Amino acid sequence: GVNKLYEEDLELQKKIFEFPTIQSTHSLVAKHVTKEKWDKLARHITATAGFTLAKAIACAVEFDNQHCGIYAGDWDSYKDFADVFDPLIQEYHGISADAKHTSDMDFSKITGNVNPKAPVHSTRIRVGRSIDGYGLSPGITKEQRLGVEKLFKAASAKFTEELAGNYYPLTGMDEAVRQQLVDDHFLFMSGDRNLQVAGMERDWPEGRGIFHNTDKTFLVWVNEEDQLRIISMEKGGDVLGVFKRLAKGIQAVGDSVQAESGKGFMLDEKYGYVHSCPTNLGTGMRASVHIDLPGWTAHGVDKLKARCEELALQPRGTRGESGGQTGHTYDISNKHRLGYSEVQLVQTMIDGVNKLYEEDLALQKKHGI
């Protein structure tokens, strides 16, 4: 009987640890997860969250549309599966193998601001943060997830002045509260196939929630794609003011977590702030404005894209990542995440938006708008 079980166990191991078929053939995973690396790493289980390489690349195996296709389940994943992660991250972010990342949230170093005459509808800056010693969303255990929520709740209860507000857990949420959060476009939902396959919706909705301040200009998503996704936003184009509030908010969360638990945020000397998705490593920052550019629209959207590329910016339609283009309003954000500090990225965005606005006025004249 024991021999039979052992035989069957070997067969099962073969099946489990067999080199998988990666459906996303053009993904970075398809390029960097070779059979040789797979055979070396497939049986390894990380210490913090019990994560494996198979779990990390689940999206690239399941779907055929991934560009990156890999997630980390804990900080250990980046270290233990470095044979896969390192070259993939270097290729995606365009950094060298020995690059170091420097963080800088000192808003006093920013010079100038977006031109008050520019037709900017709104400004939003978001970053992610992860508390050391806990798993990242794809791998985090149920206990760890609740631990992160508990630490954040304690932190948010101490927020003062413009940061002060309420935390709304998703579990047992009142219908009126839920509807209000939907109306404000603050609520994150379940049902994203990518997040489900990556393991981020396990035990839904437990341990997850949303914090916002009274003015609805400072927002934290707890245990969505990242442990903490911290967002500062407001109407108009005061990018400096939005960055200032973000920096104050991050500091307040960090100080409180440190006081409560003795833990800091995961900060890697090579990869900056640790996020579950390697595309967000470094600052994890996306600083964006919604701005009208009728001159550029008349001149051609492809030309605008090329110009943004030169200015290290990324244009999107105002319906989000995959939504199309609506009229002549664009979401303009920093292109880089890793290898530049937060101050540099915000400065680049301010300067670039001012340049685009200046050029837009000239293009409006040229195209008789």
Side-chain angles (χ1 to χ4, degrees), residues 3-18:
N3 284 342
K4 191 76 192 136
L5 283 174
Y6 173 61
E7 243 171 72
E8 289 168 353
D9 192 71
L10 290 179
E11 279 306 306
L12 282 170
Q13 281 188 47
K14 237 191 236 158
K15 215 158 134 192
I16 292 166
F17 298 122
E18 211 177 340

Side-chain angles (χ1 to χ4, degrees), residues 56-332:
I57 65 169
C59 285
V61 170
E62 178 83 16
F63 305 119
D64 61 9
N65 62 352
Q66 303 287 298
H67 169 57
C68 186
I70 193 166
Y71 287 101
D74 44 21
W75 194 352
D76 318 19
S77 300
Y78 285 113
K79 301 167 188 171
D80 298 357
F81 307 126
D83 288 357
V84 169
F85 273 111
D86 283 352
L88 184 148
I89 290 163
Q90 285 154 24
E91 178 172 344
Y92 180 86
H93 290 281
I95 59 163
S96 65
D98 54 2
K100 297 265 186 281
H101 181 82
T102 312
S103 172
D104 187 359
M105 293 291 297
D106 183 355
F107 50 80
S108 70
K109 293 179 186 169
I110 302 272
T111 51
N113 206 345
V114 168
N115 186 333
K117 290 196 179 116
V120 175
H121 298 265
S122 60
T123 301
R124 179 179 185 271
I125 306 179
R126 62 95 166 147
V127 298
R129 288 291 183 272
S130 311
I131 302 166
D132 197 7
Y134 296 81
L136 302 170
S137 286
I140 196 168
T141 66
K142 195 172 169 172
E143 292 69 33
Q144 288 170 354
R145 194 186 297 111
L146 291 170
V148 168
E149 182 186 41
K150 193 176 166 198
L151 282 175
F152 177 76
K153 267 162 85 169
S156 64
K158 295 185 221 142
F159 290 166
T160 56
E161 294 165 1
E162 68 162 347
L163 296 177
N166 290 304
Y167 176 69
Y168 304 97
L170 258 50
T171 308
M173 185 177 276
D174 180 75
E175 183 49 39
V177 169
R178 198 193 73 84
Q179 195 50 54
Q180 185 59 57
L181 290 169
V182 168
D183 295 345
D184 289 330
H185 302 291
F186 286 177
L187 194 67
F188 57 90
M189 315 279 193
S190 67
D192 182 309
R193 284 293 295 139
N194 241 21
L195 299 189
Q196 283 171 342
V197 169
M200 299 194 215
E201 292 196 359
R202 291 164 302 125
D203 316 306
W204 185 271
E206 201 176 34
R208 297 163 174 92
I210 293 150
F211 170 90
H212 69 75
N213 66 346
T214 313
D215 295 340
K216 299 183 179 179
T217 55
F218 180 68
L219 183 75
V220 182
W221 284 359
V222 177
N223 288 318
E224 192 238 7
E225 185 178 316
D226 284 304
Q227 287 180 17
L228 303 173
R229 187 156 276 199
I230 305 169
I231 306 159
S232 176
M233 59 195 175
E234 63 184 60
K235 297 269 178 249
D238 181 10
V239 176
L240 179 59
V242 171
F243 184 54
K244 215 180 261 191
R245 186 187 313 115
L246 180 79
K248 281 183 0 198
I250 293 169
Q251 188 72 41
V253 177
D255 290 349
S256 170
V257 168
Q258 187 73 47
E260 290 278 324
S261 68
K263 304 267 189 207
F265 292 132
M266 295 181 204
L267 182 58
D268 191 279
E269 63 168 20
K270 195 156 65 166
Y271 293 145
Y273 286 103
V274 177
H275 294 68
S276 65
C277 182
T279 66
N280 278 325
L281 289 170
T283 58
M285 173 185 276
R286 186 167 185 276
S288 63
V289 295
H290 282 185
I291 183 172
D292 292 338
L293 297 170
W296 274 108
T297 305
H299 195 53
V301 174
D302 287 346
K303 289 179 183 147
L304 172 62
K305 277 192 175 141
R307 182 65 179 126
C308 284
E309 186 68 35
E310 292 168 4
L311 296 167
L313 298 173
Q314 198 176 30
R316 287 181 185 173
T318 45
R319 274 197 285 237
E321 205 147 346
S322 45
Q325 184 41 42
T326 51
H328 52 230
T329 308
Y330 299 85
D331 173 309
I332 305 286

